[in-house]
Amino acid sequence: MHDRSVHVRVVSPITTRGFRRVEDLEALGYPGLMVSGSQIDFGPGSIESEFETAVCAPDTIRKIVEAEREGVDAVVIDCMADPALRAAREAVRIPVVGPSQAAMHIAAMLGHRFSVITVMRRLRAQFENAAAVHGLASRMTSVRHVDIPVLALEDDLDATKRLLVEQARLAVEIDGAEAVIVGCTGLLGCASAVRDGLLSHGIDIPVVDPIPNAVNIAAALVRSGLTQSALTYPPPPEKELLGFEPLKASRLLAAE
């Protein structure tokens, strides 16, 4: 068992500065758990497409490798696309948690069927594909959206919360959801407002806030002495990485 303080790093795979506030991450900590953050230097301003998910991957992996080198105990990737999740698990031995994967499994554990309430309609396929990969396609009843771009979510946060509540209510009453996942890590802290809104309609179900959920799961893995399987995620073979010198350098330093 783990008897010292656990350090979880939340790696933001976007380049927009100030979108993820350090104080919001630090507030997720408590005695025995420290939460820190880092952000990629090269990649998209936000992630709302498969293209942007792919573009962010190299520097996201580099930041995760650097976190392991710095002695961080576990990493959470700060995006519901879970970008570079499988690749990062091959590159490090500390636990790497994707908030989407973790949220889906928790929602399926706490309710028979769940719905994801996300930002844009175009992300529906991403979540449906993820549920299939995680073996949870039959447990996800719907993916609903509020049609607000990621970087505009806080322009009118009260309006955003009202839309989230309305879509969550429809997910329950029309789609048959019995648990709800807030489908964007940029909506950190909105889960409580969604739950309160649902309770005002007489609906008492779990609402999963993906980043706090993933951070706590990451810490639990560390305390339990668990990490990803080396058979499922073996280290990548050593070969030339043309054009990826910073990533290669980080991996070499981490191996020392």
Side-chain angles (χ1 to χ4, degrees):
M1 299 297 290
H2 204 277
D3 59 359
R4 64 175 177 81
S5 180
V6 173
H7 183 183
V8 175
R9 172 73 50 80
V10 177
V11 174
S12 182
I14 64 173
T15 55
T16 299
R17 302 296 165 181
F19 182 76
R20 174 61 75 221
R21 291 180 288 268
V22 174
E23 55 268 26
D24 291 338
L25 296 177
E26 292 176 344
L28 299 176
Y30 50 80
L33 173 63
M34 180 174 72
V35 183
S36 64
S38 67
Q39 188 167 2
I40 62 172
D41 301 307
F42 307 100
S46 65
I47 297 178
E48 295 167 318
S49 66
E50 294 286 356
F51 174 82
E52 290 158 340
T53 300
V55 169
C56 82
D59 216 35
T60 299
I61 298 167
R62 181 172 69 91
K63 292 293 184 180
I64 293 170
V65 170
E66 289 177 354
E68 182 181 51
R69 190 179 79 230
E70 293 168 15
V72 171
D73 297 300
V75 169
V76 169
I77 299 173
D78 190 5
C79 177
M80 286 297 277
D82 288 354
L85 175 61
R86 296 179 65 85
R89 286 174 172 169
E90 292 182 349
V92 299
R93 295 316 307 149
I94 59 174
V96 182
V97 177
S100 181
Q101 182 185 42
M104 287 186 182
H105 282 286
I106 288 294
M109 183 173 74
L110 299 178
H112 178 59
R113 302 186 76 193
F114 63 87
S115 181
V116 177
I117 314 300
T118 190
V119 287
M120 308 293 289
R121 185 196 182 283
R122 66 179 298 160
L123 298 178
R124 180 186 299 172
Q126 169 196 299
F127 284 106
E128 291 179 349
N129 290 339
V133 169
H134 303 325
L136 296 171
S138 66
R139 305 291 298 278
M140 187 170 73
T141 185
S142 64
V143 179
R144 289 181 168 269
H145 64 281
V146 296
D147 200 28
I148 302 174
V150 171
L151 298 182
L153 288 171
E154 294 188 356
D155 290 353
D156 188 342
L157 193 55
D158 288 337
T160 297
K161 290 177 180 178
R162 286 194 298 271
L163 289 170
L164 288 169
V165 171
E166 178 62 14
Q167 290 302 315
R169 183 180 66 82
L170 293 174
V172 173
E173 296 179 349
I174 296 176
D175 306 331
E178 296 173 0
V180 166
I181 297 169
V182 178
C184 177
T185 62
L187 293 166
L188 175 64
C190 290
S192 59
V194 175
R195 175 158 167 77
D196 289 344
L198 290 174
L199 285 172
S200 72
H201 290 284
I203 300 170
D204 183 2
I205 63 170
V207 179
V208 182
D209 195 337
I211 284 296
N213 179 68
V215 165
N216 287 321
I217 288 175
L221 289 173
V222 174
R223 292 196 178 97
S224 300
L226 295 171
T227 191
Q228 54 267 3
S229 168
L231 293 180
T232 308
Y233 304 101
E238 290 294 333
K239 63 180 69 172
E240 190 64 42
L241 290 173
L242 292 176
F244 291 92
E245 282 73 19
L247 177 56
K248 184 176 181 180
S250 294
R251 285 186 57 208
L252 289 172
L253 284 170
E256 291 179 354

